[in-house]
Amino acid sequence: QECHHQPLPLRACFAVLGRFVSPIMATAEFNPPKRVCIDQVGSEVEQLKKRIAELEAGTKKNPNEFDPYLQNRVNAQTMTQYIIESSKGDKQLAMLMNSIQHACKVVSNSIEKAGPAGLYGLAGTANSTGDDVKKLDIIADDIWIECLSRSGVCGLLVSEEQEKAIVIEDAAKRGPFCVAFDPLDGSSNIDCNVSVGSIFSVYRRKSPDDKPCTEADILRPGTEIIVAGYCIYGAATELIITFGYGVQRFACDPALGEFLFVSDMKMDPEGGKKIYSCNEGNSLQWDAPILKSVENFKDAGYAARYVGSMVSDVHRTLLYGGIFLYPADKKSTKGKLRVLYEGFPMALITEQAGGESSTGMYMGKLGRILEVMPEHIHDRCPIIMGGARDVSQVLKLYEK
């Protein structure tokens, strides 16, 4: 019987199937006439689908123990992808974050090569806060300054190693961001190969864009930070960041030269492991509530863990639980850790991970670290941060 439907070349159907045309055309069982009616196409397509499924099933390899490793490296989200998504179309912020991750990679590489290159030891100078400067302090500082100033999106930089803020004067090379950073936190441990890190916080300037930034653009509470993070250089190089909605953890794959997503960081709501971390060598200078708190932790069976690198101690606290303390004392009435590039970024990360942060008794009152108003770019504040279970115990003793 004559078919009244519009004839359709079968090859047009194959074109719809895209990548499957060649293998199917090559099989002997498919040698249809050059032209068929549309009613026949449906059954032909169904046969093609079945044959395609058979061919694909025949090409699948058996799973092995290396599959999870390979799949993670191929399928894991990269830091660059995450930055593009999280910057929500803000190209300048994406550029800034890519410059920061690049600085972290270069610093990590410099640390790895420090021994053979003769870069251990003191540089023979002191930094803005009176600390002895290591050779790697200077190198890390140069790396961060170069990466950020060349990004074209920064207007002002504050480094622990620089006494004064660095203002980008050239209108063609400056942007809306003010960045405070400690290029190499814990560098006193670098010569004995203990984990160290970099810490940073980012503000968006408030002064008019047609003029250079001023220190007032960055001397603001931590609640106004738009991005904060730290990079830890240890057995692996990891970069931890927050845009103000959770904390994300990335690890650098040295073979790829790329940070790959590991996990979201969230502190155990029950408090996690019972660990307290502080420099008990300063205990004779502490006030009564801090002394009592540490004694209570010991009586409750807490373990003492203290590296002496804030990045390492806080990183462990976020992952395992417990509390980190660097309180004010009789010798350092404001504490020792700097507000803009140590206290603020670590407090924001801790709170975003579900923990708590406090200054303890500071300036006559108990306060939140992020609400401190820095008086100058290297200002300091006391630090008490960790899980709510342990931080609340310390604050209760102040309230008595």
Side-chain angles (χ1 to χ4, degrees):
Q1 183 178 354
E2 184 179 357
C3 180
H4 298 288
H5 295 289
Q6 178 68 34
L8 183 69
L10 185 56
R11 289 183 182 278
C13 301
F14 290 156
V16 175
L17 297 175
R19 64 188 179 87
F20 302 115
V21 172
S22 297
I24 301 305
M25 291 295 291
T27 58
E29 61 266 34
F30 287 94
N31 189 22
K34 292 183 178 180
R35 300 178 72 83
V36 295
C37 67
I38 292 178
D39 283 348
Q40 294 174 314
V41 171
S43 60
E44 293 284 352
V45 170
E46 290 302 317
Q47 292 180 34
L48 288 172
K49 288 181 178 178
K50 291 180 181 179
R51 181 56 180 158
I52 289 167
E54 291 174 1
L55 291 172
E56 288 186 337
T59 60
K60 288 182 179 178
K61 68 172 186 175
N62 294 326
N64 61 58
E65 66 272 24
F66 301 111
D67 285 348
Y69 167 74
L70 294 173
Q71 287 298 315
N72 184 63
R73 297 184 79 189
V74 173
N75 297 334
Q77 184 182 40
T78 67
M79 170 69 81
T80 304
Q81 291 170 328
Y82 179 78
I83 288 170
I84 292 172
E85 292 177 5
S86 300
S87 57
K88 298 178 180 179
D90 188 334
K91 294 181 181 180
Q92 290 180 314
L93 182 57
M95 179 65 76
L96 172 65
M97 294 307 298
N98 274 309
S99 296
I100 287 174
Q101 71 158 325
H102 181 64
C104 293
K105 292 175 187 176
V106 180
V107 171
S108 177
N109 180 260
S110 300
I111 291 171
E112 289 176 3
K113 296 179 178 179
L119 297 177
Y120 288 148
L122 295 171
T125 59
N127 64 14
S128 60
T129 53
D131 299 326
D132 291 331
V133 173
K134 295 290 186 75
K135 295 175 184 177
L136 277 169
D137 281 317
I138 296 175
I139 292 171
D141 188 48
D142 286 344
I143 290 169
W144 273 79
I145 291 173
E146 285 297 309
C147 286
L148 294 179
S149 60
R150 290 175 181 271
S151 70
V153 296
C154 293
L156 183 141
L157 306 176
V158 171
S159 169
E160 182 194 21
E161 305 303 328
Q162 301 292 325
E163 184 175 352
K164 296 181 179 179
I166 300 170
V167 178
I168 311 298
E169 300 285 351
D170 189 342
K173 296 181 179 180
R174 68 171 179 250
F177 301 113
C178 302
V179 185
F181 57 91
D182 182 348
L184 199 59
D185 174 72
S187 58
S188 60
N189 289 318
I190 196 71
D191 293 353
C192 59
N193 203 21
V194 169
S195 296
V196 292
S198 301
I199 317 174
F200 66 90
S201 60
V202 180
Y203 292 83
R204 192 180 294 273
R205 68 179 297 177
K206 284 191 171 182
S207 60
D209 293 337
D210 60 345
K211 295 181 180 179
C213 291
T214 66
E215 289 188 359
D217 285 311
I218 203 169
L219 291 176
R220 291 147 59 190
T223 51
E224 297 183 30
I225 289 173
I226 60 172
V227 187
Y230 64 85
C231 188
I232 182 168
Y233 313 109
T237 296
E238 295 190 6
L239 184 53
I240 315 301
I241 60 174
T242 179
F243 282 85
Y245 39 86
V247 181
Q248 287 69 45
R249 179 185 182 190
F250 296 82
C252 188
D253 186 327
L256 305 178
E258 181 64 89
F259 284 103
L260 302 180
F261 178 76
V262 176
S263 65
D264 291 318
M265 290 182 72
K266 197 73 176 174
M267 295 195 71
D268 186 340
E270 302 298 321
K273 293 184 178 181
K274 294 184 175 182
I275 299 172
Y276 73 94
S277 180
C278 60
N279 184 356
E280 292 192 77
N282 295 328
S283 60
L284 294 178
Q285 310 294 328
W286 290 344
D287 59 23
I290 295 295
L291 280 170
K292 182 62 176 175
S293 297
V294 172
E295 289 302 316
N296 289 345
F297 290 141
K298 292 178 181 179
D299 293 342
Y302 279 56
R305 299 284 186 272
Y306 185 68
V307 177
S309 166
M310 186 186 189
V311 167
S312 299
D313 286 314
V314 173
H315 189 64
R316 182 197 58 247
T317 302
L318 293 172
L319 291 173
Y320 293 172
I323 186 171
F324 170 76
L325 309 98
Y326 211 113
D329 56 37
K330 298 172 185 176
K331 185 172 59 177
S332 303
T333 56
K334 279 191 167 185
K336 185 178 179 183
L337 300 178
R338 272 69 60 162
V339 179
L340 286 176
Y341 42 82
E342 291 175 325
F344 279 170
M346 289 307 203
L348 181 58
I349 290 169
T350 298
E351 292 189 10
Q352 285 296 315
E356 292 185 3
S357 64
S358 174
T359 59
M361 186 60 65
Y362 177 63
M363 308 292 282
K365 62 179 182 178
L366 293 176
R368 186 176 167 218
I369 293 173
L370 291 174
E371 294 176 353
V372 170
M373 183 64 190
E375 297 176 359
H376 56 84
I377 61 174
H378 298 297
D379 205 2
R380 305 169 187 256
C381 77
I383 301 291
I384 300 170
M385 59 177 61
R389 177 195 67 194
D390 302 322
V391 173
S392 62
Q393 290 186 44
V394 179
L395 299 184
K396 285 178 182 177
L397 292 175
Y398 276 109
E399 292 169 354
K400 290 183 177 180

